[in-house]
Amino acid sequence: MTQTPTARPEARPAETWPVIAITMGDASGIGPEIILKALARPEVYAICRPLVVGDAGRLREVAGLIGASLTVRAVEEPADGGFACGTVDVVDLGLIPPGHPFGKVLPLSGEAAFRYIERATRLVEAGEADAICTAPLSKEALHAAGHKYPGHTELLATLTNTPEVSMMLVAPKLRVIHVTTHIGLVDAIRKIEPGLVFRVIERGRATLVKAGIADPRIGVCGINPHAGENGLFGHGEEEEKIIPAVAKCREQGWAVEGPLPADTLFFRATRGDFDLVVAMYHDQGHGPVKVMGLEAGVNITIGLPVVRTSVDHGTAFDIAGKGIADDGSLLEALKQAVELAPRRG
């Protein structure tokens, strides 16, 4: 499988490295901890200029809990950042009070997570940052704060007035883009139609071309077991909803195959036969990615006017505040953000 590059050349002047706005996520979860652990690594500062959008006070509190020898420095805007390893620059929204609980669903945490995303989005739109990398938020806390979004993807689409976006998951040996995500299975099948399938393939292909894969090989999952097996399973969903989209892709000269049985397609993709798998619904794509490596998975929102990557795990309330969270997924998300961000200079 052709691998996406993971770092830009370090020979470029530091002032041309992308500014990555890292949102703190839910303050009651592991977001602050994994951010501090990632930003303690010199290699992060060798590829980008990381800027946290969150709460300086919460980060200082967590740094004390985990014994991180980092200075947390509040800044008004990205231009004030020093971007030196050992000091964490934070656009400080000052929303989280001292002693805010860990491991609980709280409206204040949901409101703060929303505000971090909102501010980061505006920074990128204004050209003050180049990409967004998000720590996990709690959908339940977000809803409790009055923001009725299924997750980051839909929230960012609303903030940027983007009518349609796609979720791509990247894990070792596997990339998956989803036709539908946060809706029930019956609703997902109803929503799938040839135009949507084609647009998702088009967005995924364009992203891989931008990342350096000239002619991505794309495998498209069926909906039913065995991709319907010529009408044996299901009610003709593959013929009605998927085959016309694949035919249109082939007319463009793209290397697209399908619909294929999902079980064998994922095996073939991890073997190296495909650069991208198109999953029809949430669990069809998420399951294989998480089996391949949850700690190294990355979530990329495709189709936004801003670059956004994210960890591929949740808030982990059960271990929040204990200092045992793994920052591996955040590190991979930062690398992907660097690769997808527009170049400066």
Side-chain angles (χ1 to χ4, degrees), residues 38-59:
L39 297 189
R41 299 176 183 268
E43 58 265 34
V44 171
Y45 291 82
I47 60 172
C48 70
R49 291 179 286 171
L51 177 74
V52 181
V53 180
D55 270 77
R58 186 59 158 184
L59 288 168

Side-chain angles (χ1 to χ4, degrees), residues 282-300:
H282 185 283
D283 285 13
Q284 187 181 58
H286 277 61
V289 168
K290 293 188 176 182
V291 168
M292 292 302 299
L294 179 61
E295 71 285 349
V298 178
N299 182 334
I300 305 172

Side-chain angles (χ1 to χ4, degrees), residues 48 57 64 85 98 124 135 146 159 175 182 193 228 257 261 278 310 320-321 328:
C48 70
C85 189
V124 175
L159 288 173
R175 302 182 191 90
H182 297 122
E193 51 87 20
E257 294 184 35
V278 180
S310 179

Side-chain angles (χ1 to χ4, degrees), residues 92-138:
D92 183 19
L93 273 62
L95 300 172
I96 303 299
H100 190 68
F102 288 101
K104 294 184 177 180
V105 174
L106 298 169
L108 178 57
S109 297
E111 179 63 30
F114 174 84
R115 297 300 170 192
Y116 306 150
I117 289 291
E118 182 180 50
R119 181 65 178 275
T121 301
R122 302 309 172 220
L123 289 175
V124 175
E125 288 178 334
E128 298 179 74
D130 301 295
I132 300 170
C133 182
T134 59
L137 56 70
S138 163

